[in-house]
Amino acid sequence: MPSQEYKIRTATPEDAVALVEIYDYYVRETAITFEYDTPSVEEFEGRMRKVLQRFPYLVVEQGKEILGYAYASPFHERAAYQWCVEMSIYLKKDARGNGLGSMLYTELENRLKSQGFLNFYACIGYPDVEDEHLTFASVRFHEKMGYTLIGKFSRCGYKFDRWYNMVWMEKLVPLPQDHSLPKLPN
């Protein structure tokens, strides 16, 4: 994959139309997200603005076409969790499987590390048996990116008239040699 064909940049709320188009497939056709209804562009813009106040929100594009996006959000709101983030990534259906996800996630992780974040978590839909709505592809992707499985919640998501599980995966950034905590931006 010639990386010079692709550009990663910070998303803007003006990208919301393209991002909703990408996300819509996952809402309507998959159990990758447990949302039932695709958010409006206005709602999606609001979500983006909230994330962008503190966290990276990236898009990957080829020419002027956005092929995917990834962002981090708070793992939990309490102050003790401030070095932890939850990761999310979505690619256009036909853009998967060619390395764009790895490229996008690597850039997201690098930006988060430079901000001082130490723990990266991914919440992933997980079937008992792969079906037309959910496979193990996201778990395999995260394993390839260095994440490890740390927990499973059984039958916690109901979509397409069936129950799905959820797993948590994590990737830890090494602590500084002196064990000091990085200063995070407000």
Side-chain angles (χ1 to χ4, degrees):
M1 172 188 69
S3 60
Q4 63 270 21
E5 292 182 36
Y6 302 101
K7 176 184 170 191
I8 295 175
R9 63 170 173 81
T10 299
T12 67
E14 290 75 31
D15 296 320
V17 171
L19 304 190
V20 168
E21 287 176 10
I22 292 169
Y23 187 59
D24 178 62
Y25 162 76
Y26 293 96
V27 173
R28 287 183 303 101
E29 302 294 331
T30 79
I32 288 171
T33 175
F34 288 161
E35 272 197 268
Y36 287 172
D37 300 309
T38 303
S40 68
V41 170
E42 294 75 25
E43 181 180 347
F44 206 90
E45 283 177 3
R47 293 179 186 184
M48 291 178 73
R49 288 180 201 284
K50 184 174 181 181
V51 167
L52 284 163
Q53 289 175 9
R54 182 163 178 230
F55 303 99
Y57 202 127
L58 306 176
V59 297
V60 59
E61 56 188 2
Q62 184 175 38
K64 295 292 183 191
E65 180 184 10
I66 294 176
L67 300 174
Y69 63 98
Y71 62 93
S73 55
F75 172 66
H76 281 289
E77 296 295 334
R78 293 190 177 111
Y81 296 114
Q82 66 186 300
W83 292 272
C84 307
V85 293
E86 184 177 344
M87 309 285 280
S88 296
I89 185 170
Y90 294 93
L91 297 176
K92 277 190 167 183
K93 179 183 175 184
D94 58 354
R96 297 178 299 182
N98 63 10
L100 286 178
S102 297
M103 193 168 70
L104 193 54
Y105 235 46
T106 298
E107 180 64 21
L108 180 61
E109 288 176 356
N110 287 339
R111 291 189 189 194
L112 289 164
K113 288 175 195 175
S114 74
Q115 284 183 263
F117 292 102
L118 299 171
N119 299 18
F120 305 153
Y121 297 104
C123 175
I124 301 167
Y126 192 82
D128 286 322
V129 176
E130 289 184 312
D131 63 29
E132 70 274 19
H133 301 294
L134 190 60
T135 68
F136 299 119
S138 187
V139 168
R140 287 191 297 271
F141 167 77
H142 283 84
E143 287 172 340
K144 184 179 118 191
M145 295 300 297
Y147 289 70
T148 57
L149 185 67
I150 57 170
K152 178 182 173 186
F153 294 84
S154 299
R155 295 187 325 230
C156 64
Y158 188 79
K159 194 170 178 181
F160 305 116
D161 298 321
R162 63 192 82 163
W163 288 102
Y164 290 101
N165 310 310
M166 176 188 79
V167 295
W168 279 99
M169 297 185 79
E170 77 175 352
K171 184 174 185 177
L172 303 177
V173 174
L175 290 170
Q177 294 268 348
D178 64 2
H179 298 284
S180 63
L181 290 174
K183 177 93 171 115
L184 296 172
N186 292 331

